[in-house]
Amino acid sequence: FCFPVSPRFAFTRGVRKGEPEKGAEQALRALEKLRGCQKAAEAEFAELKRTTESEEEEAPWSTLWRDPSVRRRVLIANGLQWMQQFTGINALLSFGPSMLQVAQLDMDPQ
């Protein structure tokens, strides 16, 4: 509500929807609001346009399983998340103070 849309997001969303002019207009307006100067906004927009055009195309979701290096990272990250859940750390962080009070442990920091 208070912040303008991200210029990069506005530009790429316009390109994806097949309305690059609309996305460019939104991105430029957001940059003008952020920078306060039309000249600086236009310079940054030119750089934004140049970098988004030079980026590689997004990889399909199947890359998560077909590329061995990506698959390994996904499995490690997923495994760590599952192990964290099984340790019960979320319960301890959420209910720790009440569990210590029920156990009648002194919680005075001094």
Side-chain angles (χ1 to χ4, degrees):
F1 301 172
C2 300
F3 299 105
V5 67
S6 161
R8 181 180 178 85
F9 175 75
F11 182 70
T12 55
R13 180 177 58 183
V15 170
R16 286 181 185 157
K17 287 186 172 183
E19 303 170 335
E21 297 84 20
K22 185 178 177 184
E25 181 183 321
Q26 275 187 319
L28 197 52
R29 270 189 285 142
L31 282 169
E32 286 174 1
K33 189 173 183 180
L34 288 169
R35 301 296 173 239
C37 172
Q38 186 173 1
K39 186 177 180 182
E42 288 175 355
E44 190 168 344
F45 178 71
E47 181 181 343
L48 172 73
K49 195 173 181 180
R50 194 171 48 252
T51 57
T52 53
E53 288 172 352
S54 67
E55 288 179 352
E56 292 182 20
E57 197 171 309
E58 289 184 16
W61 284 97
S62 61
T63 305
L64 292 174
W65 301 111
R66 291 186 181 169
D67 185 357
S69 68
V70 175
R71 180 178 49 233
R72 180 173 180 249
R73 294 175 196 157
V74 168
L75 291 174
I76 288 172
N78 200 341
L80 287 172
Q81 290 172 344
W82 277 99
M83 285 189 281
Q84 179 185 4
Q85 294 299 316
F86 287 131
T87 63
I89 191 65
N90 289 343
L92 184 62
L93 291 174
S94 298
F95 302 108
S98 60
M99 289 174 13
L100 293 174
Q101 285 176 343
V102 169
Q104 298 179 348
L105 293 175
D106 185 26
M107 293 187 36
D108 188 19
Q110 286 128 9

